[in-house]
Amino acid sequence: MGLLSQGSPLNWEQTKKYADHIRKHGIIQFLNIYNKVKDRQKDVLKWGDEVEYMLMEWDDKDEKVRLVLRTAEILETLQEQGEKTNPNHPTLWRPEYGSYMIEGTPGQPYGGTMSEFNTVEGNMGKRRREASSLLKDNETLATITAFPRLGCPGFTRPEHAPTPVERGVSKSLFFPDQAINVHPRFSTLTRNIRHRREEKVVINVPIFKDKCTPSPFVETFPEDDGEAARAALPDHIYMDAMGFGMGNCCLQVTFQACSIDEARYLYDQLATFCPIVMALSAASPFYRGYVSNIDCRWDIISASVDDRTEEERGLKPLKNNKYRISKSRYDTIDSYLSCCGEKYNDIKLIIDEEIYNQLLSAGIDKLLAQHIAHLFIRDPLSVFEEKINLDDENESDHFENIQSTNWQSMRFKPPPPNSEIGWRVEFRPMEVQLTDFENAAYVVFVVLLTRVILSYKLDFLIPLSKVDENMKEAQKRNAVNEGMFYFRKDMFKGCNPVLDGAAATQNGLETGGTNEEYTLMSIDTIINGKEGVFQGLIPILNSYLENMEVDVDTRCTILNYLKLIKKRASGELMTMAKWMREFVANHPQYKQDSVITDKINYDLMRKCDRIVKGEEQCPELFGNPLNRVK
Ligand code: ADP
Ligand code: MG
Ligand code: MG
């Protein structure tokens, strides 16, 4: 999860004092990078995925499954045996927020040849096997987006009581500090977010009202000092810690563009796909032992790191803070970056004016300057004493400090100083899928999308406020089949910033009437097309593939992936979220009261595990397994 520094972390009071210093030098570092590499062209396509895993332990006697808090030691061994022994090792391992989590990526990014699509699933399999080889017999590694009983009593191994008292990091009523990764970055972020906000984070997820769910659904919390009673909403599942969001797993993809302009174009285009692909990947219907009424984790993780004060949230007049800020620092993007995107920037953008002007005077264009000046309205959250005075020419930690704690749906990544790495964009909204087959399918689908966008110069831009509305829609229960999303009708009628930037913007302004450019569509229409409404992404991907030289085996793999996406979109196959809901609804112990008991959770996770290990088929999720490519 971004930048990891070693050293002595500062508390919030100390961090605050350095906020301006870090912003000032962060901008200098950004400018130094920009000036060195702004004209870089012809970097080749490289890309890579990130998969996050949870470590679980079966307790067959009591029929319970728990999260095991020992990924730190597993990580150390994986790195020892992997990257530290052999720089060409095929996998890379990184820590994640939970002390039961771990993140795996390919050892090297993939390149631009089609045949590499055929190696993604294999590499994911390698990662799963490599980490699994270090587990005990009663443990398993799972790619589950949200552990259904996260935060329920005794959900960890070893068991720890939460520490709701002042000395606690989260002060959570539910999530023990021991479940947070021991690297100081993670506890520092957690504590400083809470201190900056001046209260615990507040997460309220609407509960799924089943036949026997109490109505209104109201919980009481014996350990509460009053904060939970004030924060918890009726008919909602209340959560109070960063771990409820950052303790979930996701699936991300990063692409290298050939130039900064191409990166900006891709950033914008892919931003419009965030809600669509997130709904297609929906995999997290359960929270803190309850069935929720949403299918995706997005708003939960957003609230779980929301460090805004009451003033910034608009609940009190501004006195000690500078800005009213409408979103958490984990949220959707607030502005497009390419010149084509400019006319669709219809969200009020809060920026640091001083930084904005400084960037303009340094020769940065308006769109990029406002993007950076917007990221830099945030304070640093985790600062290490040893890392305050840096060499701005050759280091970028202060820039990365602010950049990597702006957890937006897309991330625009400048090259690190003095590296061969180019301008990159990261696609961040996807929920992680149960199997490597599915994860590879989603990743390859998104990468192919970038290829057709660039090859056919497609344009999917709509006003950014509509993308935000889509993001809300995407999280609703069964949005994949029932949701309606704003989407551009004609993907061929746009502008291409890489080729004809300035002129295109002017034309764009003249066309006006943007509401004619887009309309509400189902995901089925967007993915599979509908006569007279929209051509569909799968048909366009298919025609791209027909024109590409691809070996038979790779083509077969890709077509299988696209089939999964196509059938999830049409409803022929279920999303993980829908499938999990059905499993619970049909479980003999389920009392139609929205409660996921230990036994239900155990049976569900066991079934998931058997499917992953190929011991059981799951045609509802993947279709005919005979067609699956190993
Ligand atoms: P994060 O910013 O999320 O911490 P990383 O920079 O560690 O992410 O890497 C994320 C992904 O980017 C990995 O899958 C990795 O393989 C991939 N990657 C590494 N180098 C490049 C590159 N030059 N271009 C594109 N992707 C890359
Ligand atoms: Mg991660
Ligand atoms: Mg990432």
Side-chain angles (χ1 to χ4, degrees), residues 1 50 52 96 103 252:
M1 75 170 253
E50 296 165 70
E52 294 172 355
E96 252 307 328
E103 178 183 289
Q252 298 173 333

Side-chain angles (χ1 to χ4, degrees), residues 19-66:
D20 284 331
H21 170 86
I22 284 165
R23 275 189 290 260
K24 180 176 156 212
H25 289 274
I27 292 297
I28 296 172
Q29 291 167 6
F30 170 75
L31 285 171
N32 285 338
I33 292 173
Y34 178 83
N35 286 323
K36 276 188 211 154
V37 294
K38 63 178 192 293
D39 297 323
R40 252 171 86 162
Q41 300 282 338
K42 304 217 167 29
D43 278 324
V44 295
L45 167 68
K46 283 188 183 171
W47 61 276
D49 66 272
E50 296 165 70
V51 178
E52 294 172 355
Y53 306 81
M54 285 186 193
L55 180 59
M56 295 180 187
E57 181 196 274
W58 312 116
D59 175 347
D60 296 326
K61 190 169 117 297
D62 291 338
E63 300 196 293
K64 287 182 178 170
V65 53
R66 299 189 185 88

Side-chain angles (χ1 to χ4, degrees), residues 126-143:
K126 237 176 224 153
R127 283 177 239 170
R128 204 182 278 270
R129 281 193 301 278
E130 196 174 290
S132 298
S133 73
L134 302 175
L135 306 187
K136 299 174 185 159
D137 281 349
N138 63 341
E139 291 176 339
T140 194
L141 203 64
T143 41

Side-chain angles (χ1 to χ4, degrees), residues 542-560:
N542 280 334
S543 72
Y544 172 78
L545 286 172
E546 274 161 28
N547 292 317
M548 292 297 288
E549 268 195 41
V550 194
D551 65 88
V552 178
D553 200 40
T554 304
R555 187 181 297 274
C556 172
T557 302
I558 295 175
L559 291 179
N560 262 320

